[in-house]
Structure formats: C-alpha cells, structure tokens
Amino acid sequence: MAHDIRIVTETELRGAVRLDLTAVNVIERAFAALASGRVVMPPILSMELAEANGEVDVKTAYIPGFDGFAIKVSPGFFDNPKLGLPSLNGLMILFSAKTGLVQAVFLDNGYLTDIRTAAAGAVAARHLAPEVVETAGVIGTGVQARLQMQAAHLVRPFKRVLVHGRDAEKAAACAGDLARSLGIPAEVAPDAAGMVAQSQLVVTTTPAREPVLMADWLHPGLHVTAMGSDQIGKTEIEPEALVRADAYVCDRVSQCEVSGELEAALAAGLWTRGTPAELGEVIAGKRSGRQAPEDITIADLTGTGAQDTAIASHVMQTIGDMGTLIRA
Amino acid sequence: MAHDIRIVTETELRGAVRLDLTAVNVIERAFAALASGRVVMPPILSMELAEANGEVDVKTAYIPGFDGFAIKVSPGFFDNPKLGLPSLNGLMILFSAKTGLVQAVFLDNGYLTDIRTAAAGAVAARHLAPEVVETAGVIGTGVQARLQMQAAHLVRPFKRVLVHGRDAEKAAACAGDLARSLGIPAEVAPDAAGMVAQSQLVVTTTPAREPVLMADWLHPGLHVTAMGSDQIGKTEIEPEALVRADAYVCDRVSQCEVSGELEAALAAGLWTRGTPAELGEVIAGKRSGRQAPEDITIADLTGTGAQDTAIASHVMQTIGDMGTLIRA
C-alpha cells in the first residue's frame, strides 16, 4: 500500500531547523525519557571500511511518547578532503513508531547531528553549569566549537567567549564567527590552562586522543562538557579530573564506558565511584548534579540515538510541507 | 558539497529488477566474497518496539570489489494487518564505498529483500541440491514460497512442484500461481512427510517455532533449504536432522547459531561437528557440500547484509536513469 514519503535536503533543513530553545527542549525531553527506563536504545552498529579509511555508524532509539523513531546513518570517510569532499555525511530516516512505515528521509549530510549534538551541550549546561556564567571557553575551532557556544549561550547568556585551538588562524576565525553570531566579545586564548581559569563553562570539541584539559586546571564553580570523544581511544579530559569533579555525568553510561571519557578512567583504575549518573537522571531529579555554585561538574557526551529520534521528530513537526513527496 | 541522490520507489523497482539468473549470480558473488574473510559484516542492529508489537532490524556489509555498500532497514509491525497495512516494510540505502556519500535510496517496502532472499535459495540449490531435481516441494504458502520455487527453478529446472501449507486455500492459491509462473504442474500436498518423500529439493519458508520438517523424513538425494528462521526461537527443521545430513551449510555461522536452525541443535547438545561450513566456503571450494547424488544436504539461510549490499549494487547497475534525482 503506497504512502507519501517526504524527502528533505540539507539546504531545506538548514532553512527550516535552527539551533534554538525549542530544539534544546526537545533534546532535553529525550534525555529525560532515557532516565525513565522505557526508552529502547540498541548498541550502535559500527562498520569499518579500512580500505577507504572510512567508517559508518548507525544509531536509533525508540522513545515512548514520540510518534516516530529515527535511524541515523553517519559515514565518516577521512580521505574525502583529498577529493574536495567533506569527511562526514549521512542521513536520517524517520519511521512511524506505530506502523514502521517510512515517514521521511532527511538528506542532511550531518546537519541534524550537528544541531542535536549542540543541543545536548545546552541541556548539560542548563542542568550542570553554575547559574551565572560570565565567561565561556571552547577548546577546538570547528563546527561544534561554534555550535556548542551558541547552544550554551541560549541557556547561560555569558558576556564573553574564549576560543583555544592548536591552529591560531582557525581559532581567530572561530572567535570572529562567535562574536558575530552571539554579539559579544570573543577572543583567542593561546593558553588552554589560562582560558579554563577565566571560564565558568568550558566545552571541549576535539577528536583528541590525548587529554586537552587537565585535572589540575579544574577550579571551583567550573562546568566542563566534553563532547568530542565518541570512539574507543578518543579522550579529551585527563582521567583524574573525573574523580576530582563533584559530579561526573554521562549522556549514556554504557556508551561513555567504551567511547567516552570514562573509558580511560576505567582503564587506569581511577573510577571507583560506582555507576555514574546519566544526564537524564539529573534532569529527572533521580541523581544529583551540581549542588552548590562552587561545585565542579563534568558532562561526558558521546551522542545517543535518542537525540536522533528527538531531532527527527522535531524536524517533522517544523518543516510543514517542505521537501519532495515521493509516493512509495 | 551537494550531489545527486537517486530515489526509487517500489513500483519502479518491481518494473526494473527481477528474480533472474543475473540477480542469482550477484548474490552468489556476495557469498563467495564472504568466504574470503575480507567482507566486513557487523552484527545485525535489532530494536524491539514492544508497545507497537513491532521490531526493526538494520543490516549492512562491505564487500571488497563492490563500489557501494547498502544499509537496509527492515521494520516488522505485526499489528499492521489490522490497519490494512502490510507487516513488513522498509528501505535500502546505497552508499559509495569510496566516499560514504549516499548514492540512492530504494523505497522498496521489502521487495529487494524478497529478491535477494530468494536468490540465496537459488545459490544454495545450485551448490547443494542434486544435479537432477524432478520434483521440488515447498512448505509455506506466502511470498517466499512462490519466490523460492521460482529461484530454485532457475538453477534446477524441475518438472513438478508440490506445495504444503496449513491453510488448504492458501496452498491451492500458491500452487496455482506457481503453475502459471513456472509453466509446470503444481499440486497441493496435504501431507508434508509425503511431499518430502516425493521431492529431491524442499524449501521451508515458514515463521515456525516448532519443526515443520522432521529428521525421519530425510531420504537419500534430498536437499533442504530452511529460510524461514531468522530470529531467536524460530525453527523449521527438527534439530536431529542437522546431524543426520551429510552436509549442513550455514549462510553465516554466527547468525545461524543465534537465529537459525543451529540454535536449537546447539541448545539440545546435538551439534558436535565443530564449526559448520558456510555457503560461501562451499562456493569457493574451501569446504565440501554435496559429494554424491545420494547425499542429504541442508542449507540454513538467515539472511545476510552481504546480500543486501549485493542486490542494491545490482539494482544501481540495472535501473539506468529510473527514479527521482534529488540534489542534496
């Protein structure tokens, strides 16, 4: 029995779906649902294509109360820049959670992942950062460096932003973009330690395999979100920092154990505090996050299928009659 | 960087892609590649949506020598018939194996799965059935009952076909369809044991959870393909039959252990012959299949991502400029 399927391109999606509080609230709802125990979120399907220096991940989740569920396919082919192509691509498919019928195909080339990833940073900041953030800092100078600061600014309207990156030119470009988009002073911080010292909120957005933020840099009243590590072997935060923090919070413990900051801390035998809290549990009030302004908090975001289902559902409600209808 | 993505509907696919020897040969090539050890085929991603009596499976595989790899999403929502909708749906996405870019979206509602599943039956028959098959039998009366007999007939042009099903009307309809499509006599066989006794090739195509083909029915010169079991708890062949056969061959051992006929045989402690052969190993001559006309052989097909990659690649080469191009 044929039905209409909506095909929406990246250009159309960029015109219709923005990183705003509505998107943040949808992602927050997905995290809260994760804490309910009723979300079904299978392990990520991951395939390596070594001959092409490529990999592909598939994520999904069913969230009760959402009409649909998304399946997201994220290829990463790291020789693409040599061909003038971006490394990351992919699409999301939205299915009816009642019938399994395909509702929409979002040919987003990773745009919706960018949005839902940044929105998770805002959710972490909303529930873990100190109430007052004067200065925010970001380590990394890519798309997520920009989006994470924009997202955090939605929930903690800081007055100044600092950018640290290994490449001074890219850091300057990122700072310039942030100054324009946020309308606040943005500066390059050549020294990461000094930047963290001046900030109440820091987001790390790198693919680092060695820590870029050290335990000794932690100071009272600091919140750190580490969102770069999403694979085995990646790490951004010195493992010792996780136990020095008053609260270390995972997006999903089962993922952080294998691909987040927890991986290295467990391997080093440093983590001895039992099962860490999850962001959804903090939102739902089941576990404690920040308890005092001087607390040090760390959020570890590896990216969940629940976010994909949430953003795809949000898109479907947002786009109206956008896209091309295909009857199939 | 935008590029063209081809969107093809089920109707278009049905017009362009047929169950023929070309399709069988492509699937055979995928199985042969599986035996090379260079195929990357991750475990199936599976998610249950208990509240909707639904499930969704995602399969993929990278096959060296194929320009693309497919990701197939197969939802099964078993209350759909109450809504006048089919239980099974889904789509395949073809990606470039060099860049990860989406090449095509096949909105096939499971049609390509039907074809590649039947083609695997033909590959099994080609390599395991006796050279001469006069009579073929099928247990089950659904889409695969028809397609499996059509596929087997491509490689073993039998003179007569027998159909056994629990529902006499459905068996008669299936026999009628097969008589028309194959142009040979087709009869309903009310007694499964009697049907197997008369057949040199039998395919079981049921979702049974109790055996529908018993070990005592095996006779010299019989080949059986069991293709219905694809999930934990499903079984079509009495476990004892696997050890009585001269050759028991899996499409993929790691899948047959958990969701094929091997599952029950292992659970009952009956299987003591070490790692079974895989169909690809038989094709490649690495393991033996049928060695004499009087041998008894069993093929256990659970369905592999390699078949999906192979059929999707075949479709892309077959369809020419069919479908709708979307620039994304």
Side-chain angles (χ1 to χ4, degrees), chain B:
Chain B
M1 185 169 298
H3 69 291
D4 285 337
I5 297 170
R6 193 170 292 279
I7 315 284
V8 194
T9 66
E10 179 187 348
T11 304
E12 292 167 329
L13 291 165
R14 284 186 183 272
V17 181
R18 289 201 175 69
L19 176 57
D20 55 20
L21 277 175
T22 310
V24 171
N25 292 339
V26 169
I27 298 300
E28 181 176 81
R29 198 178 139 213
F31 276 111
L34 270 180
S36 74
R38 290 170 60 232
V39 169
V40 188
M41 193 162 75
I44 298 163
L45 183 160
S46 194
M47 178 167 74
E48 197 183 352
L49 293 86
E51 292 170 42
N53 192 20
E55 63 183 31
V56 60
D57 283 352
V58 183
K59 293 183 180 182
T60 188
Y62 166 66
I63 311 177
F66 282 73
D67 292 338
F69 65 91
I71 291 197
K72 182 177 76 173
V73 185
S74 304
F77 280 64
F78 304 104
D79 292 342
N80 277 5
K82 295 178 197 164
L83 306 170
L85 297 170
S87 296
L88 302 178
N89 287 288
L91 80 174
M92 282 193 198
I93 311 148
L94 183 68
F95 296 84
S96 161
K98 293 202 172 54
T99 65
L101 290 177
V102 180
Q103 305 293 296
V105 179
F106 301 134
L107 300 167
D108 72 322
N109 296 316
Y111 174 65
L112 297 177
T113 298
D114 287 344
I115 298 297
R116 66 76 149 149
T117 301
V123 174
R126 182 185 269 166
H127 292 277
L128 292 169
E131 281 301 318
V132 178
V133 175
E134 293 284 341
T135 299
V138 64
I139 299 181
T141 59
V143 171
Q144 278 296 316
R146 291 160 170 85
L147 289 177
Q148 287 287 344
M149 288 296 100
Q150 289 174 35
H153 197 258
L154 292 169
V155 297
R156 293 290 187 275
F158 43 83
K159 309 269 194 310
R160 188 171 71 126
V161 59
L162 304 175
V163 179
H164 174 79
R166 286 178 305 179
D167 182 319
E169 266 186 50
K170 288 183 182 171
C174 181
D177 285 349
L178 283 170
R180 272 186 294 278
S181 62
L182 299 179
I184 58 172
E187 297 161 37
V188 171
D191 171 49
M195 185 187 81
V196 173
Q198 297 176 66
S199 303
Q200 295 83 52
L201 167 65
V202 171
V203 183
T204 61
T205 66
T206 74
R209 294 182 174 269
E210 296 293 334
V212 297
L213 192 151
M214 309 310 285
D216 279 347
W217 302 354
L218 299 179
H219 58 78
L222 174 67
H223 170 72
V224 176
T225 292
M227 60 66 56
S229 177
D230 58 354
Q231 283 186 345
I232 292 167
K234 285 190 186 173
T235 183
E236 297 188 289
I237 312 283
E238 192 181 17
E240 175 68 24
L242 273 52
V243 280
R244 284 212 207 159
D246 297 288
Y248 163 72
V249 178
C250 297
D251 59 355
R252 193 64 162 175
V253 170
S254 56
Q255 292 187 186
C256 292
E257 282 172 349
V258 293
S259 61
E261 303 302 327
L262 193 53
E263 181 197 358
L266 287 172
L270 283 170
W271 184 262
T272 53
R273 290 202 210 158
T275 306
E278 291 191 349
L279 184 52
E281 295 174 316
V282 173
I283 295 168
K286 293 180 179 178
R287 298 282 297 264
S288 56
R290 172 171 297 274
Q291 294 180 291
E294 63 274 20
D295 275 2
I296 298 168
T297 51
I298 298 178
D300 188 354
L301 305 181
T302 54
T304 67
Q307 289 161 258
D308 298 317
T309 281
I311 197 74
S313 302
H314 170 60
V315 169
M316 198 63 179
Q317 290 178 344
T318 304
I319 57 172
D321 61 358
M322 184 171 278
T324 306
L325 282 188
I326 301 269
R327 195 157 184 84

Side-chain angles (χ1 to χ4, degrees), chain A residues 199-260:
Chain A
S199 304
Q200 296 82 52
L201 166 65
V202 170
V203 184
T204 62
T205 67
T206 75
R209 293 181 175 270
E210 298 292 335
V212 296
L213 191 151
M214 310 308 286
D216 279 347
W217 302 354
L218 299 180
H219 58 78
L222 175 68
H223 170 74
V224 176
T225 292
M227 58 66 55
S229 177
D230 57 354
Q231 283 186 344
I232 292 167
K234 286 191 187 172
T235 183
E236 296 187 289
I237 311 284
E238 192 181 18
E240 174 68 23
L242 273 51
V243 280
R244 284 213 206 155
D246 297 289
Y248 163 72
V249 177
C250 298
D251 59 353
R252 192 64 162 176
V253 170
S254 57
Q255 292 187 188
C256 292
E257 282 173 350
V258 293
S259 62

Side-chain angles (χ1 to χ4, degrees), chain A:
Chain A
M1 185 168 300
H3 70 292
D4 285 336
I5 297 169
R6 193 171 292 278
I7 314 285
V8 194
T9 66
E10 179 188 348
T11 304
E12 291 167 328
L13 291 165
R14 284 187 183 272
V17 180
R18 290 199 175 71
L19 177 56
D20 55 19
L21 277 175
T22 310
V24 171
N25 292 340
V26 169
I27 298 301
E28 181 177 80
R29 198 176 139 215
F31 276 111
L34 271 179
S36 74
R38 290 170 62 231
V39 168
V40 188
M41 193 162 77
I44 298 164
L45 183 159
S46 194
M47 178 167 76
E48 196 183 354
L49 293 87
E51 292 171 40
N53 193 19
E55 63 183 30
V56 59
D57 283 351
V58 184
K59 292 183 181 180
T60 188
Y62 166 64
I63 311 177
F66 282 73
D67 292 338
F69 66 92
I71 291 197
K72 182 177 76 174
V73 186
S74 304
F77 280 63
F78 304 103
D79 292 342
N80 277 5
K82 295 178 196 164
L83 306 170
L85 297 170
S87 295
L88 303 178
N89 286 288
L91 80 173
M92 281 194 199
I93 311 148
L94 183 68
F95 296 84
S96 161
K98 293 202 172 52
T99 65
L101 290 177
V102 180
Q103 305 293 295
V105 180
F106 301 134
L107 299 166
D108 72 321
N109 296 317
Y111 173 66
L112 297 177
T113 298
D114 287 344
I115 297 297
R116 67 75 150 149
T117 301
V123 173
R126 180 184 270 167
H127 292 278
L128 292 168
E131 281 300 317
V132 178
V133 175
E134 294 283 340
T135 300
V138 63
I139 300 181
T141 60
V143 170
Q144 277 297 315
R146 291 159 170 84
L147 289 177
Q148 287 287 342
M149 288 296 101
Q150 289 174 34
H153 197 258
L154 291 169
V155 298
R156 293 291 187 272
F158 42 84
K159 309 270 193 309
R160 189 171 70 127
V161 59
L162 304 175
V163 179
H164 174 80
R166 287 179 303 180
D167 182 320
E169 266 185 51
K170 288 183 182 171
C174 181
D177 285 350
L178 284 171
R180 272 186 295 279
S181 64
L182 299 179
I184 59 171
E187 298 160 35
V188 172
D191 172 47
M195 184 187 82
V196 172
Q198 296 176 67
S199 304
Q200 296 82 52
L201 166 65
V202 170
V203 184
T204 62
T205 67
T206 75
R209 293 181 175 270
E210 298 292 335
V212 296
L213 191 151
M214 310 308 286
D216 279 347
W217 302 354
L218 299 180
H219 58 78
L222 175 68
H223 170 74
V224 176
T225 292
M227 58 66 55
S229 177
D230 57 354
Q231 283 186 344
I232 292 167
K234 286 191 187 172
T235 183
E236 296 187 289
I237 311 284
E238 192 181 18
E240 174 68 23
L242 273 51
V243 280
R244 284 213 206 155
D246 297 289
Y248 163 72
V249 177
C250 298
D251 59 353
R252 192 64 162 176
V253 170
S254 57
Q255 292 187 188
C256 292
E257 282 173 350
V258 293
S259 62
E261 302 303 327
L262 193 53
E263 182 197 357
L266 287 172
L270 284 171
W271 184 261
T272 53
R273 290 203 209 156
T275 305
E278 292 190 348
L279 184 52
E281 295 174 315
V282 173
I283 295 168
K286 294 181 178 177
R287 298 282 295 264
S288 55
R290 172 172 297 275
Q291 294 180 291
E294 63 273 21
D295 275 3
I296 298 168
T297 52
I298 298 178
D300 188 354
L301 304 181
T302 54
T304 66
Q307 290 161 256
D308 298 318
T309 282
I311 197 73
S313 303
H314 169 60
V315 169
M316 199 63 177
Q317 289 177 346
T318 304
I319 58 171
D321 62 357
M322 184 172 278
T324 305
L325 282 187
I326 302 269
R327 195 159 183 83

